Amino acid sequence: MTDTIASFKPKAIVFDLLTGLLDSWTIWDASTPTGTSLEGLKWRKQYLEVTYGSTVYGPGSTYEELVSRAAAESGLPSSSPEALHKNWKDLKAWPEVGQVLRELRKKGYLLGIVTNCSRELGHAAVRSAERAAEEAEGEGEGSWKFDAAVTAEETGWYKPAVEAYHGILPLLGDVKPEEVLFVAGSAGDVVGASKAGFRVVWNNHVGLERKGDVLPLREGQSLDEALRDFL
């Protein structure tokens, strides 16, 4: 496995957003009646099951609708998804993300995001990750940008559909699937991105269980650990 990593030189590194780069789990917890992971974790795991089983983005299966459906199936009131939308502005990157992004940019990789999200909330969340890179060097708002970012609403597909991952490729220019390293945030991403022809590492920051028999090149509990062969 180590030899495979050492020999792989990606042209682009593409990230899952809401777990791979951001601690969205905290605001999910805060949006429940108890404000704790006791309810938030159950809701979030149900959301992952619902979203990764939906495939097509559209009427009846928009991001906001699936979040609400997962809340109801977890026994939570409608006030929870409403609170999540309100708390979205509080999204923060994992502590190491800003510096890691800056180091990857210095090494010349194209950097992109594929996220199972609506256009509005997805690009607001992208700014949270970009802000972390700016703050790492004390730079001003808007001074650091990803090369490309695409949401499920924009591609019409939810991960782990291959089309969801491939939706980023035209935005990155002359990049083929085999030239992409994908940073997964969940077990579903490990499987889905691999099927899309990407090589995969997993930032398993929250300790999720593996699914299937597809393994990432490396699994870490932080972004820098998952990407240590490329920094």
Side-chain angles (χ1 to χ4, degrees), residues 53-75:
S54 295
T55 307
V56 177
Y57 192 106
S61 62
T62 66
Y63 177 76
E64 288 81 0
E65 287 169 329
L66 295 188
V67 168
S68 295
R69 173 182 158 190
E73 292 176 352
S74 301

Short mmCIF file of all heavy atoms in Angstrom, two decimals, residues 53-75:
data_model
loop_
_atom_site.label_atom_id
_atom_site.label_comp_id
_atom_site.label_asym_id
_atom_site.label_seq_id
_atom_site.Cartn_x
_atom_site.Cartn_y
_atom_site.Cartn_z
N GLY A 53 -28.32 6.68 -0.39
CA GLY A 53 -29.24 5.77 -1.04
C GLY A 53 -30.16 6.45 -2.04
O GLY A 53 -31.02 5.81 -2.63
N SER A 54 -29.97 7.75 -2.26
CA SER A 54 -30.89 8.52 -3.10
C SER A 54 -30.45 8.65 -4.55
O SER A 54 -31.25 8.63 -5.46
CB SER A 54 -31.11 9.92 -2.49
OG SER A 54 -31.76 9.81 -1.25
N THR A 55 -29.17 8.83 -4.79
CA THR A 55 -28.56 8.91 -6.12
C THR A 55 -28.91 10.18 -6.88
O THR A 55 -28.03 10.99 -7.18
CB THR A 55 -28.89 7.68 -6.98
OG1 THR A 55 -28.57 6.50 -6.26
CG2 THR A 55 -28.10 7.71 -8.28
N VAL A 56 -30.20 10.40 -7.21
CA VAL A 56 -30.59 11.53 -8.06
C VAL A 56 -31.07 12.70 -7.21
O VAL A 56 -31.89 12.55 -6.31
CB VAL A 56 -31.68 11.11 -9.06
CG1 VAL A 56 -32.12 12.32 -9.88
CG2 VAL A 56 -31.19 10.00 -9.97
N TYR A 57 -30.55 13.89 -7.53
CA TYR A 57 -30.98 15.11 -6.85
C TYR A 57 -32.13 15.74 -7.63
O TYR A 57 -32.04 15.93 -8.84
CB TYR A 57 -29.82 16.11 -6.81
CG TYR A 57 -30.04 17.30 -5.89
CD1 TYR A 57 -29.38 17.39 -4.68
CD2 TYR A 57 -30.91 18.33 -6.23
CE1 TYR A 57 -29.56 18.47 -3.83
CE2 TYR A 57 -31.11 19.41 -5.40
CZ TYR A 57 -30.43 19.48 -4.20
OH TYR A 57 -30.63 20.56 -3.37
N GLY A 58 -33.23 16.04 -6.96
CA GLY A 58 -34.36 16.65 -7.65
C GLY A 58 -35.54 16.83 -6.72
O GLY A 58 -35.42 16.64 -5.50
N PRO A 59 -36.69 17.19 -7.25
CA PRO A 59 -37.89 17.37 -6.43
C PRO A 59 -38.18 16.14 -5.58
O PRO A 59 -38.19 15.01 -6.09
CB PRO A 59 -39.00 17.60 -7.46
CG PRO A 59 -38.28 18.16 -8.65
CD PRO A 59 -36.95 17.45 -8.68
N GLY A 60 -38.38 16.35 -4.30
CA GLY A 60 -38.61 15.25 -3.39
C GLY A 60 -37.34 14.68 -2.80
O GLY A 60 -37.37 13.92 -1.83
N SER A 61 -36.20 15.03 -3.39
CA SER A 61 -34.93 14.54 -2.87
C SER A 61 -33.86 15.64 -2.88
O SER A 61 -32.70 15.39 -3.17
CB SER A 61 -34.43 13.34 -3.69
OG SER A 61 -34.19 13.72 -5.05
N THR A 62 -34.29 16.87 -2.61
CA THR A 62 -33.31 17.94 -2.46
C THR A 62 -32.56 17.72 -1.15
O THR A 62 -32.97 16.95 -0.29
CB THR A 62 -33.97 19.32 -2.43
OG1 THR A 62 -34.78 19.42 -1.23
CG2 THR A 62 -34.84 19.55 -3.66
N TYR A 63 -31.45 18.41 -0.98
CA TYR A 63 -30.65 18.27 0.22
C TYR A 63 -31.48 18.58 1.47
O TYR A 63 -31.51 17.81 2.43
CB TYR A 63 -29.44 19.20 0.16
CG TYR A 63 -28.59 19.17 1.41
CD1 TYR A 63 -27.74 18.09 1.67
CD2 TYR A 63 -28.64 20.20 2.34
CE1 TYR A 63 -26.97 18.06 2.82
CE2 TYR A 63 -27.87 20.17 3.48
CZ TYR A 63 -27.03 19.11 3.72
OH TYR A 63 -26.28 19.07 4.87
N GLU A 64 -32.18 19.71 1.42
CA GLU A 64 -32.98 20.11 2.58
C GLU A 64 -34.08 19.08 2.89
O GLU A 64 -34.38 18.82 4.06
CB GLU A 64 -33.59 21.49 2.34
CG GLU A 64 -32.59 22.64 2.38
CD GLU A 64 -31.80 22.82 1.09
OE1 GLU A 64 -32.03 22.04 0.14
OE2 GLU A 64 -30.95 23.72 1.03
N GLU A 65 -34.67 18.50 1.84
CA GLU A 65 -35.72 17.50 2.04
C GLU A 65 -35.16 16.22 2.67
O GLU A 65 -35.80 15.61 3.53
CB GLU A 65 -36.41 17.19 0.72
CG GLU A 65 -37.32 18.33 0.24
CD GLU A 65 -37.79 18.14 -1.18
OE1 GLU A 65 -37.05 17.55 -2.01
OE2 GLU A 65 -38.91 18.58 -1.49
N LEU A 66 -33.97 15.82 2.25
CA LEU A 66 -33.38 14.61 2.81
C LEU A 66 -32.94 14.82 4.25
O LEU A 66 -33.04 13.91 5.08
CB LEU A 66 -32.20 14.15 1.95
CG LEU A 66 -32.54 13.69 0.53
CD1 LEU A 66 -31.32 13.08 -0.13
CD2 LEU A 66 -33.70 12.71 0.52
N VAL A 67 -32.44 16.02 4.55
CA VAL A 67 -32.08 16.34 5.94
C VAL A 67 -33.31 16.26 6.84
O VAL A 67 -33.28 15.70 7.94
CB VAL A 67 -31.43 17.73 6.03
CG1 VAL A 67 -31.33 18.20 7.48
CG2 VAL A 67 -30.04 17.72 5.39
N SER A 68 -34.43 16.81 6.36
CA SER A 68 -35.68 16.77 7.12
C SER A 68 -36.21 15.35 7.26
O SER A 68 -36.71 14.95 8.32
CB SER A 68 -36.73 17.66 6.44
OG SER A 68 -36.35 19.02 6.47
N ARG A 69 -36.11 14.57 6.19
CA ARG A 69 -36.56 13.18 6.24
C ARG A 69 -35.76 12.39 7.27
O ARG A 69 -36.32 11.63 8.06
CB ARG A 69 -36.43 12.55 4.86
CG ARG A 69 -36.71 11.05 4.82
CD ARG A 69 -36.50 10.50 3.42
NE ARG A 69 -36.26 9.08 3.44
CZ ARG A 69 -35.87 8.37 2.38
NH1 ARG A 69 -35.67 8.97 1.22
NH2 ARG A 69 -35.64 7.08 2.48
N ALA A 70 -34.43 12.58 7.26
CA ALA A 70 -33.58 11.87 8.21
C ALA A 70 -33.90 12.28 9.64
O ALA A 70 -33.87 11.44 10.56
CB ALA A 70 -32.11 12.14 7.90
N ALA A 71 -34.22 13.55 9.85
CA ALA A 71 -34.59 14.01 11.19
C ALA A 71 -35.86 13.32 11.66
O ALA A 71 -35.94 12.82 12.79
CB ALA A 71 -34.79 15.53 11.19
N ALA A 72 -36.88 13.27 10.79
CA ALA A 72 -38.14 12.63 11.15
C ALA A 72 -37.94 11.15 11.43
O ALA A 72 -38.51 10.61 12.39
CB ALA A 72 -39.15 12.82 10.02
N GLU A 73 -37.12 10.48 10.62
CA GLU A 73 -36.87 9.06 10.81
C GLU A 73 -36.05 8.79 12.07
O GLU A 73 -36.01 7.66 12.56
CB GLU A 73 -36.17 8.48 9.58
CG GLU A 73 -37.07 8.45 8.34
CD GLU A 73 -36.36 7.98 7.10
OE1 GLU A 73 -35.11 7.80 7.14
OE2 GLU A 73 -37.04 7.80 6.06
N SER A 74 -35.39 9.83 12.58
CA SER A 74 -34.61 9.71 13.81
C SER A 74 -35.41 10.14 15.03
O SER A 74 -34.88 10.19 16.14
CB SER A 74 -33.33 10.55 13.71
OG SER A 74 -32.55 10.14 12.62
N GLY A 75 -36.68 10.49 14.81
CA GLY A 75 -37.54 10.89 15.91
C GLY A 75 -37.38 12.32 16.36
O GLY A 75 -37.78 12.67 17.48
#
